[in-house]
Amino acid sequence: MRIGFVGSATYAMLPRVLPLFRERYPNVVLDLREGTTTQILRDLEAGALDLGLVRYPVAEATPIEIRPVEWDRLVVALPMHHPLTRRKRVALSDLANEAFIMYSASSAVNLRAQVMLVCQTAGFTPRVTQEAVQVQTLVSLVESGIGVALVPAACSTGSTRRVEFRDVSSEASLAVALGVAMQPSADGSAAQRFRQMLEENPPQNGDTVLLRRRKPVPRGSL
């Protein structure tokens, strides 16, 4: 089974589910391929992948069925000695004059669109000084002191870097998720069994997620 995954799936989702799946289905050979949400969806449409673990919500129309299975929230990543680290919670409007490290406009359009939306709801457009594709790269660039970034809270778990994470106050929704994506015609396949295992083994209470939903996303929805 060919599985495409975004880097954030390695924080908790894959370590939680892969051992269970391999134990229950030892004869299924897994081919794991890291990529971006956009590329994974294209590969699913082309039949080059059987299942994808992608960022949700999705900004582009797609015939692929996506079910959010692991919910999280956006937090702000700050360099260790940034003045805002003295606060327990940061108002999004307080970031209006900050240099932002932003998700790539060409390769990470989904998270970029959501960050742009929440910032504009707070009354400003981020001043982007650097772009990156993967969440881990954004955090590393924050560590270097060149800017701040809005990232999923899961990436703060166990972080030993010189980065501080703070909750954000915002009128717009800060909810993000990892979703499982597959062709609607994949019923009865190993991919469907993998999706079922994800739904049957949600994150535990200690994980940084908000809630769990099962309702599938209609085809072509944003």
Side-chain angles (χ1 to χ4, degrees):
M1 179 170 59
R2 301 161 299 176
I3 300 176
F5 66 94
V6 293
S8 298
T10 62
Y11 291 128
M13 179 181 285
L14 287 176
R16 184 177 71 253
V17 176
L18 277 181
L20 299 174
F21 188 85
R22 290 170 64 88
E23 180 179 1
R24 187 176 300 181
Y25 303 105
N27 294 325
V28 176
V29 178
L30 299 178
D31 179 4
L32 303 175
R33 308 175 186 179
E34 186 175 6
T36 65
T37 293
T38 298
Q39 186 59 54
I40 290 169
L41 292 176
R42 289 175 182 168
D43 288 346
L44 283 167
E45 293 173 15
L49 289 173
D50 302 302
L51 181 140
L53 304 175
V54 299
R55 273 288 160 202
Y56 177 94
V58 171
E60 62 259 45
T62 177
I64 300 300
E65 184 180 273
I66 306 171
R67 297 186 184 183
V69 291
E70 187 171 293
W71 285 83
D72 202 348
R73 70 193 185 280
L74 291 175
V75 297
V76 61
L78 302 163
M80 178 175 284
H81 299 297
H82 193 286
L84 290 176
T85 59
R86 294 193 290 267
R87 305 181 187 180
K88 291 184 177 180
R89 179 179 292 270
V90 175
L92 193 58
S93 58
D94 290 336
L95 303 175
N97 296 321
E98 298 292 336
F100 265 77
I101 303 166
M102 183 59 67
Y103 301 95
S104 168
S106 60
S107 302
V109 295
N110 300 294
L111 274 175
R112 182 188 180 94
Q114 186 167 9
V115 170
M116 285 292 188
L117 175 61
V118 298
C119 289
Q120 290 171 4
T121 300
F124 71 97
T125 297
R127 179 168 59 88
V128 178
T129 58
Q130 180 65 48
E131 294 187 358
V133 176
Q134 298 292 352
V135 173
Q136 299 97 318
T137 306
L138 267 75
V139 174
S140 294
L141 291 173
V142 171
E143 182 181 9
S144 72
I146 65 174
V148 305
L150 293 177
V151 298
C155 74
S156 67
T157 304
S159 177
T160 58
R161 297 174 175 174
R162 297 172 61 83
V163 178
E164 297 280 347
F165 299 89
R166 293 293 183 271
D167 284 326
V168 175
S169 300
S170 169
E171 294 182 3
S173 174
L174 297 171
V176 292
L178 289 173
V180 56
M182 53 188 282
Q183 289 281 2
S185 59
D187 290 348
S189 65
Q192 185 188 41
R193 294 194 292 272
F194 193 92
R195 181 174 68 184
Q196 182 179 357
M197 184 164 288
L198 281 168
E199 294 175 337
E200 291 175 350
N201 295 274
Q204 300 302 308
N205 292 335
D207 292 340
T208 54
V209 295
L210 297 177
L211 53 109
R212 177 170 169 252
R213 301 175 183 172
R214 287 179 175 240
K215 186 177 180 180
V217 177
R219 298 184 199 179
S221 64
L222 296 182

